[in-house]
Amino acid sequence: MTKRLLPSNAEARAEDAFERLGTRSPHCSVPGCGESDWRALTGAYLNIKCYEHRCAQQGRSTVERHHPAGRKNNPKMEVTMAANDHRVMDDYKVDWPEETRRNPEGSPALRAAANLRSARDWLVMIAERLLAPVIAWLEALEKCMRKRHGPRWWEALGLPNMLTGRGAEL
Amino acid sequence: MKVPAPIEQPIALRAYAVPQTGNGSQMTTTNNEGSAPLGPSDYSLIFDTETTTTAEQRLRVGCYQLRKKKELVEEGLFFDPKALNSKERRRLLGYARRHDLKLRTVSEFIEAIFYRQAYLLNALIIGFNLPFDLSRLAIKHGPAKGKKMGGGFSLTLSENWPPVRIKHLSRTASLIDFAAPGGQRSARSMRRRRHRRPPRRGFFSDVRSLAAALTGSSHSLASLARLLGTKHQKTEAEHGRELTANYLGYLRNDVEVTFECSQLLAARYEGFKLAATPVSAILSEASIGKACLREMGVKPWRELQPDVPPELIGIIMASYFGGRSEVHLRRVVSQVAYCDFLSMYPTVSVLMGLWRFVTATGAHWREATAETQAIVDNLKLSDLARPETWAKLAVLARVEADADLLPVRSAYDDSSPAYSIGLNYLTSKEPLWFTLADVFVSKLLTGKTPKILRALAFTPRGQQPGLKLIDILGNPDYRIDPAKDDFYLKLIELRSSVKQQMRSCNNESERERLASEQLAMKIVANSSCYGIFVELNVQDYARQKEQVYFGGDETPRTAKLASIEEPGRYFHPLLATLTTGAARLMLGVVEALAEQEGLGWAFCDTDSMALACPQGMPEEEFYKRTKRVRGWFEQLNPYTSGDELFKLEDANYSLDGRLPEALYCFAVSDKRYALFNIGADGRPVLRKASAHGLGHLQPPYPEAKAPDRVPAPRLALLEIGTQRWQYDLWYLIVQAALAGHLQIVELDCLPGFDAVALSRYAATCPRLLHWFDTFNKGKPYAQQVRPFGFLNAYQARSAAQLNCVELDSRGGKHKRQQTAQSPRAVSPFDPDPAVAVRHCFDRDTGETVTPELLKTYLQALVRYHLHPETKFIGGDYTEAGLLRRRHIRVPDVNGIQYIGKEANRWEERSLTGEDPEAQIRYGAAGGSLTELQERVAIVCRKHGVRRVARAAGLSHSTVLRFLAGKVEPGAATVNKLRKALTAVVIG
């Protein structure tokens, strides 16, 4: 029988957040926002807001400074990022080994490891928060176009096939 | 009809205890408004344990599966290192390696899987008889606290994590959750906004409970797997032997079968399309009823009309009686036509239009004394043939009973504190509340109009807003609009049409689908029309609490009790009392019609009655007359499906169901009867028999060892309604009756009847577990009898040979004089009854009880066929024939005892010496128990305990225990004490 790896702590944190938010499918209640990452959501059922909208409501900035490798590892390395993304990046850091995150002795090896972990987290965040929605959107688009214009919908619309480059001239 | 001379007898009425208020916190929980409850995550943990077969039933080995949706994440075994020898451990390790299973110790399993995975991920924890398995994992236990779980157990599985709390509700259902962990779970910002995160309670699904709720009957894992047709079927193994690969395979298979059953049951529940209630919240059929109302957006009455005065609810509760169950022709073989009403409770709800009350924003009530008296004065049987009469039954009447035929709840049997309800002549100077339906019954059967002092008529208020359409079983063809349709009417008609389709369907799988649909409809109809409206959950507390309660006289009283009744979500006792009242009226009408037709009746039970053929009446004439009785009810039939309202049961037809066949009845007392045909050889062919009064006993022999003298049943035992040994017993009883020797039934031929009669219970509440305090004393926890472990109870023959030691009021020990009290014999679990009985002890004193002092099956059941029907005259052990109704006179205001929910199966439980505490007793109408206690204390101080005890005919220690508040006396004891006080003071 196929076996999955045991659930990670992130899943347990997600459960905790769902309980806090009061629903398993939370999303920001501000129209047009669409933020649905539990890491970036605050409040409770019927009044869930993303962190950025909560900040805006309270008159605080919606961009924040992020230490990718952590304050202990590289206090000078700072980037400015959207507050929601900052919450997500910080949550990734919870899964880092305690030693790497704290680096009490200032070990260069752990500092390098932290830098590499933060780089990996960036990629994961890009994949999860930027690419994943686009992928889902493209696949939904394919279904919709297929339904409307048939399986070779691009030909019907006179568009080139982007993979082969062949097709009708624009 | 001649009314017999009255006898003074105390009666009991139900009371309404005002619910305890909360702590007044204004905090709201996160997910209590508008959102569906947060169900379990995609993860599930299925596990099972195997234990030693010794008294402590200690965990040896367990198996678990952690799954995400249906996909297996991890499968493994866990074990208690101290319960296995090194050879067994090696074997276990080898097995785990060969089958690629994770092997953990029990503490590792609890830490890494049970809490770090299942608890943190909100997984659904699945098992079959989950309380037993969970308690095997515990390292200690204590009483559970809190309003919801009070009276249950709190099991500590690990010192680092919250305990698991379990509260036993019924034979098949338990409430299970995690205790709230310490510390603050809500951020300050949340608390500032007055939000509070509810504590994590976890999700538990006991497959046994779910199966009982969805199939309407109790199952073992094997029978459930067979019923559901799971891919894996339960296998058999010998327990208590050395661990082998086969045994471990058996254990793994059990987990797989449990998982498959849970999946199939969950799919079946999904078919109900009750999305607002997760499957983990389904504990019984009532849960389905409540889920159904929730799905339609029906709001609870108490939420919509919180200002109903408690005095009125007290009146409603005082008028509440359960279904009518009586025997009329006792221990006489008579030919009968056994008939029952089509969906009795939903039908009377339809006739009375109770759905409008369910969907209303509340109820109006008004004084209607004069008009009610006029209706009763002019009532004729023919009036009840008009549905309009039934629509006007939402009336409660306060009656000054003067030899009127009314339902009377009383402890008819002096030797038992159990209450039963009988339709008897009642005389009471103290006015009492009854439903108008009950008053009608009295008028119909006596011809005399009861004197009505006051009547309250109820009508529904405006309709609730926000009612939602519901597609029954998710099928748009079965759509019901709760705002326009009568839900019960539509549901019964839908069920009838599905049944008709099922009968004409040739496709096997389609027929199965239709059968499952009609069963689901039956469950929904029955569960949503009665029980949930009188749901009262008993909560037990460690200390007694002051409670305010109301009876029928609108007077608030107080009582100090350790058990508190909390109304359920859809508590609406008016609907419950009207429903059962109308059902009793239906039976009353049958009785009146039978009398009109010159027929008798043998017994009735809630929704059925066996009409009896009078001696000398030709069979053809009998059937013609019963047909006229049945036909009378067609005038009331609210259904268009063509099904008869009062119909002949299948037992009236030949075994192939084609032709009518003469059916005979032998009834002993209420709920103890057998229906049978007489074969060509003159031998009985049992069609239906009752297991009442037998269900608590373990089978004395397996089916394979059934005696040759008793022919095998011609029907499936499930259809007859008994186990094989119970069938054999009934066969011999009926055979003896047919042979004309009613008193003597030769039970000696039944194997195992010379063995000590044994009842097996689980220690489901702290009170039962206390029986083993002496046994457990000084033993390490792992060797103790623990919560939900099995235990054996026995019936003692006599206490004459026993010297009991008991604690006196000063805490010291003294030898008690020989009293009439029998030893209350129990023993720890052992699979072999012969071994178990050797460890039998008195649970009060801890002293050994020898098998000679215990009843054998033969001794316990020798008088089963003579069981008295104490509700009526002529029902004593040796008496047979037509029973006559008693005439009860309520002595004075103290002759009315207010009680809570009636204890179930009291009679069986009392046989094994269980305490009468199961019955909540608020107190007498003339004064509470506390007041009686004070009066007894005053008299005892002046005249001495011994004198009071002697006058009351009670033991010295009983009086002392009563004064110390250690026992709640039964109705008979209270009566004795009251009489004794008068006698001592005067004399």
Side-chain angles (χ1 to χ4, degrees), chain A residues 93-111:
Chain A
K93 242 185 244 176
V94 179
D95 286 335
W96 292 12
E98 184 83 7
E99 272 211 329
T100 310
R101 204 167 64 226
R102 296 200 170 214
N103 194 4
E105 310 297 335
S107 156
L110 288 179
R111 185 175 297 170

Side-chain angles (χ1 to χ4, degrees), chain B residues 94-110:
Chain B
Y95 184 89
R97 276 195 192 135
R98 277 199 305 282
H99 292 88
D100 192 20
L101 302 173
K102 191 93 184 165
L103 183 63
R104 299 172 188 272
T105 62
V106 62
S107 50
E108 280 168 8
F109 164 74
I110 289 168

Side-chain angles (χ1 to χ4, degrees), chain B residues 741-799:
Chain B
H741 42 92
L742 287 172
Q743 315 285 10
I744 300 155
V745 179
E746 287 170 16
L747 300 178
D748 318 46
C749 67
L750 295 176
F753 263 51
D754 51 353
V756 170
L758 177 145
S759 304
R760 188 163 288 162
Y761 296 101
T764 49
C765 62
R767 200 169 59 222
L768 283 177
L769 194 63
H770 279 316
W771 293 5
F772 285 82
D773 283 352
T774 326
F775 177 86
N776 284 340
K777 204 172 177 184
K779 289 195 174 80
Y781 189 73
Q783 287 170 24
Q784 290 181 11
V785 173
R786 284 179 274 169
F788 301 99
F790 293 112
L791 46 96
N792 299 324
Y794 306 87
Q795 298 173 41
R797 280 166 71 181
S798 153

Side-chain angles (χ1 to χ4, degrees), chain A residues 1-7 11-12 15-16 18-24 43-46, chain B residues 30 33 35 38-41 43 68 71-74 100 117 120-122 185 193 197 200:
Chain A
M1 232 182 281
T2 44
K3 291 186 184 180
R4 293 176 77 257
L5 287 173
L6 279 178
E11 283 182 287
E15 274 307 313
D16 210 46
F18 294 150
E19 273 182 356
R20 170 171 53 83
L21 297 165
T23 169
R24 277 191 193 286
Y45 190 74
L46 297 181
Chain B
T30 299
E33 292 217 5
S35 73
L38 196 72
S41 68
Y43 285 92
K68 184 166 188 181
E71 201 181 333
L72 190 66
V73 175
E74 184 179 303
D100 192 20
Q117 304 299 334
L120 289 182
L121 291 173
N122 267 331
R185 287 194 87 221
R193 290 198 299 275
R197 281 174 75 174
R200 179 170 292 186

Side-chain angles (χ1 to χ4, degrees), chain B residues 401-423:
Chain B
D402 179 17
D404 295 308
L405 207 48
L406 292 161
V408 181
R409 188 190 285 110
S410 185
Y412 290 102
D413 185 354
D414 288 341
S415 62
S416 159
Y419 292 108
S420 56
I421 300 163
L423 188 66

